Amino acid sequence: MPLKPLSLTLSLITEQHITPNIYTFMRKILLQLFCIACALNLMAQKGKGSDKDLYFNQTTLQVTKAGTLEQAFANANPTSHQGIRVIGPLNDADMRFLAKLAKPSGLDDLHSINLQEALLERVPAHWLQGFTYVTHVYLPANLKEVGAYAFAYTNSLRKADLPEGLKSIGQCAFVGTNIQRVNLPASVEKVGEGAFAHLKSLTEVSVPAANNNFDLVDSLLIRNADNTLLQCFKKGKGEVQVPEVVQRIGSLAFGGAKYISSIGIPKAVTYVGEDAFASTYALESINVAEGNAQFVSTNGVLFDKGATLLICYPTSKRGNKYTVPATVKELATGAFQECGGGNAYKLINDEAEKKRARLNEVVLPEGLAKIGKWAFTFTGCQVNIPSTVREIGDSCFYFCEIEEATIPEGVQRIGDGMFTACYRLATITLPSTVTYVGAKFVAYNSLETTLNVYALNPPACHQDAFADFSSSINLHVVKGQKKAYEKSDDWSSFIFNGVEDDLKAVVTGINAPAVPAADAVETARYNLQGVRIYAPQRGVNIIRMSDGTTKKVLVK
């Protein structure tokens, strides 16, 4: 029934001689009703499913041939393109053009993409990965596949409902978005690991009974083909007991389950994927059932069966200091991430108790060979780097509170973002063996930094190696190598406070030992390959004395 015009309605009220107070009240009510009616009418004109989408169908483009969307856009020459509706067939080139419109990630760029009337079977991998302002994507009815990382960390994305008929969702397809619903269609046959990790705004998850490929059990999404726990959607506090049927825990499976306090792993589990426990801020313990042939937990810390790989130290495990067992040879991806950092212990309200619980120091053992990527990301603790380490992953110490870092001899690659946002880091020492320095390895650091580089030949650097460094660097190199660094394209592109060649070269060739002076003391130790070591190692050790002499000792 159409509404009467407001002026007519008000005149009818006055004709009935209603008192002024009642008249004013009725007038307000009618004004509100009129506004609601107008809003409903506008929504009806815009179409179904706008879901607070301010730019829904702002501009419509119709194509009759795939690969012509860019030309159609040029012909239409719209005054704004924050919302685009596409009708007709599309291909990868068209999708790249839509991504191009969204990529600047400004307020005037593409926010809303309506493909409901498009003909498209596949959303390309990495399509909108990392884009900032895309908020709504309406997928076409004939869609069959969403590629890996298609919407990964498109962090403003609130709506991307999955159409019936969809067959495949790639690895990390929606990771880190703000989508509010995951309604898996009955048609879906494949879901990659991490596809729905870190969904901060999720309110609804469902798997229809008609879909035999997946089950949703106590907020746990399980892939039936290989009994893989794909995702924990649990939002509340408490324990999560992985069902006995599960044999595999996928990558990022608990990613974003930030309030759970403990996880129970059954004996049937034979595989734990990379960074499976990321951002489990309240996690205090991981417990493995007796009889598990692949994994073991010791005091709530997860290891492989032989305790040579430390997989996860729970973010909110209590204790000021942790000494990693001497058996450990490798720290897995994200092994200590967030531990002792700002996100840990959020369920503890008392600051004194939180201080007593907080992890302040991690002691790594000699014999450790590899530190995985993100191993100490966002941690609030100090950590040593043993002399035996030969590989350190990207962003290993990102936003870590370490104050000094000495990379041991034998390490060749300094990964991307290794010391990014380490605001307390004042001294970095790189070994003679280093050959490459990755992107933004000291980005956003604010302290004046001393950088000691023992490499005789200037290491190759990523073009952004020193990008976004917000303070100054005092560079120290080996005596006689100052000009080499000043002439290097990789090193001369950054303006250092100064370059001083005051370091002594690391010994790689050892002369025959002479009789040392009686008061000489050990100043350095090396293995037979000339690589510096920082503690006695089994076999022949070469010791450099304070008087310049060297000697060989056999360590049993």
Side-chain angles (χ1 to χ4, degrees):
M1 176 180 174
L3 290 177
K4 294 182 179 180
L6 183 61
S7 58
L8 176 59
T9 305
L10 291 177
S11 66
L12 290 173
I13 292 173
T14 56
E15 287 174 4
Q16 295 176 11
H17 307 290
I18 295 176
T19 62
N21 288 339
I22 296 177
Y23 171 76
T24 301
F25 174 76
M26 293 294 294
R27 186 174 185 274
K28 288 181 179 179
I29 293 295
L30 288 169
L31 283 171
Q32 290 174 356
L33 289 172
F34 179 75
C35 291
I36 291 171
C38 290
L40 291 171
N41 186 48
L42 182 60
M43 288 178 65
Q45 291 176 7
K46 280 196 168 186
K48 181 181 178 182
S50 62
D51 192 24
K52 297 181 181 179
D53 183 353
L54 299 177
Y55 305 105
F56 186 68
N57 291 352
Q58 183 187 71
T59 297
T60 296
L61 300 174
Q62 185 162 2
V63 294
T64 57
K65 181 180 178 182
T68 62
L69 183 63
E70 184 170 6
Q71 186 59 54
F73 181 84
N75 293 342
N77 191 26
T79 56
S80 60
H81 60 269
Q82 293 155 305
I84 287 182
R85 169 193 181 205
V86 180
I87 303 172
L90 301 177
N91 61 15
D92 281 2
D94 298 316
M95 297 298 280
R96 286 194 297 271
F97 175 68
L98 287 172
K100 180 180 176 181
L101 294 179
K103 189 173 184 178
S105 294
L107 292 174
D108 294 328
D109 300 307
L110 189 56
H111 296 269
S112 173
I113 305 171
N114 184 0
L115 304 178
Q116 288 174 317
E117 298 167 87
L119 298 175
L120 176 74
E121 292 195 349
R122 178 178 178 272
V123 174
H126 304 278
W127 179 44
L128 297 178
Q129 182 177 352
F131 289 12
T132 303
Y133 284 109
V134 176
T135 59
H136 293 73
V137 175
Y138 305 88
L139 298 172
N142 68 321
L143 188 69
K144 296 295 185 286
E145 179 184 354
V146 177
Y149 295 89
F151 301 96
Y153 301 104
T154 307
N155 52 24
S156 293
L157 185 66
R158 300 196 300 270
K159 183 180 178 69
D161 292 343
L162 305 174
E164 190 59 55
L166 184 68
K167 297 290 187 183
S168 176
I169 301 169
Q171 175 187 4
C172 295
F174 294 94
V175 62
T177 64
N178 271 292
I179 59 173
Q180 298 169 356
R181 294 185 293 274
V182 174
N183 301 122
L184 215 60
S187 56
V188 168
E189 299 171 355
K190 297 179 181 180
V191 175
E193 295 179 14
F196 302 113
H198 300 294
L199 303 184
K200 299 179 286 290
S201 301
L202 190 67
T203 59
E204 180 183 331
V205 183
S206 67
V207 177
N211 190 318
N212 296 318
N213 299 303
F214 304 92
D215 280 325
L216 189 64
V217 180
D218 295 331
S219 300
L220 303 176
L221 180 63
I222 298 171
R223 185 170 62 200
N224 294 331
D226 55 1
N227 293 321
T228 294
L229 170 58
L230 288 176
Q231 201 63 53
C232 172
F233 293 113
K234 184 178 176 67
K235 292 290 185 180
K237 304 175 184 178
E239 179 183 359
V240 171
Q241 178 59 52
V242 177
E244 293 293 332
V245 69
V246 170
Q247 297 177 342
R248 302 174 77 258
I249 296 176
S251 299
L252 299 175
F254 289 90
K258 59 185 179 180
Y259 294 116
I260 62 174
S261 57
S262 66
I263 297 172
I265 297 177
K267 65 180 182 180
V269 170
T270 60
Y271 170 85
V272 175
E274 184 177 64
D275 216 13
F277 308 99
S279 301
T280 47
Y281 300 147
L283 190 64
E284 297 179 357
S285 66
I286 301 172
N287 304 300
V288 180
E290 290 186 15
N292 188 298
Q294 301 296 326
F295 303 102
V296 66
S297 59
T298 302
N299 296 323
V301 182
L302 181 63
F303 300 87
D304 69 341
K305 192 67 173 180
T308 60
L309 173 67
L310 192 157
I311 299 168
C312 180
Y313 183 96
T315 301
S316 286
K317 178 177 169 59
R318 295 170 182 248
N320 298 141
K321 181 178 180 179
Y322 181 72
T323 299
V324 173
T327 55
V328 172
K329 305 301 179 186
E330 179 181 349
L331 302 184
T333 295
F336 285 88
Q337 65 181 304
E338 308 276 0
C339 294
N343 288 321
Y345 313 105
K346 290 223 169 189
L347 298 183
I348 301 177
N349 296 320
D350 183 75
E351 289 301 318
E353 183 183 355
K354 187 178 292 187
K355 186 176 181 179
R356 289 192 295 271
R358 187 177 298 281
L359 182 67
N360 298 320
E361 182 182 3
V362 174
V363 180
L364 302 180
E366 288 294 325
L368 184 73
K370 180 180 179 181
I371 302 176
K373 61 185 178 181
W374 314 324
F376 293 94
T377 293
F378 291 109
T379 57
C381 53
Q382 298 300 310
V383 58
N384 65 306
I385 306 176
S387 65
T388 51
V389 169
R390 294 295 175 265
E391 183 179 347
I392 303 175
D394 289 352
S395 299
C396 179
F397 299 100
Y398 183 97
F399 215 106
C400 182
E401 294 188 11
I402 56 172
E403 298 171 358
E404 182 177 351
T406 298
I407 306 301
E409 291 291 328
V411 173
Q412 298 182 1
R413 182 181 184 277
I414 305 300
D416 294 347
M418 183 174 288
F419 299 113
T420 294
C422 292
Y423 295 106
R424 297 185 179 184
L425 186 60
T427 304
I428 302 171
T429 299
L430 304 184
S432 66
T433 52
V434 69
T435 59
Y436 176 78
V437 177
K440 297 188 176 183
F441 92 108
V442 289
Y444 313 120
N445 294 2
S446 54
L447 284 183
E448 182 176 343
T449 302
T450 296
L451 176 60
N452 302 313
V453 184
Y454 280 89
L456 296 179
N457 296 317
C461 293
H462 188 280
Q463 62 181 3
D464 292 328
F466 298 98
D468 298 323
F469 182 73
S470 56
S471 186
S472 57
I473 293 177
N474 302 305
L475 178 63
H476 296 261
V477 300
V478 171
K479 191 171 182 63
Q481 300 306 117
K482 180 176 180 177
K483 287 186 178 179
Y485 279 80
E486 289 177 337
K487 291 181 179 180
S488 166
D489 290 340
D490 288 321
W491 291 81
S492 62
S493 59
F494 183 81
I495 300 175
F496 296 97
N497 273 358
V499 181
E500 299 292 337
D501 56 347
D502 54 359
L503 303 180
K504 293 183 179 180
V506 171
V507 176
T508 55
I510 306 298
N511 296 323
V515 179
D519 59 349
V521 296
E522 178 181 330
T523 58
R525 183 178 290 249
Y526 305 88
N527 61 20
L528 281 176
Q529 288 71 45
V531 175
R532 187 172 182 177
I533 56 180
Y534 293 84
Q537 289 186 8
R538 182 175 296 177
V540 176
N541 289 197
I542 301 170
I543 300 174
R544 184 178 181 181
M545 307 301 290
S546 59
D547 63 353
T549 60
T550 60
K551 64 179 181 179
K552 294 181 181 180
V553 297
L554 179 63
V555 179
K556 295 183 179 180

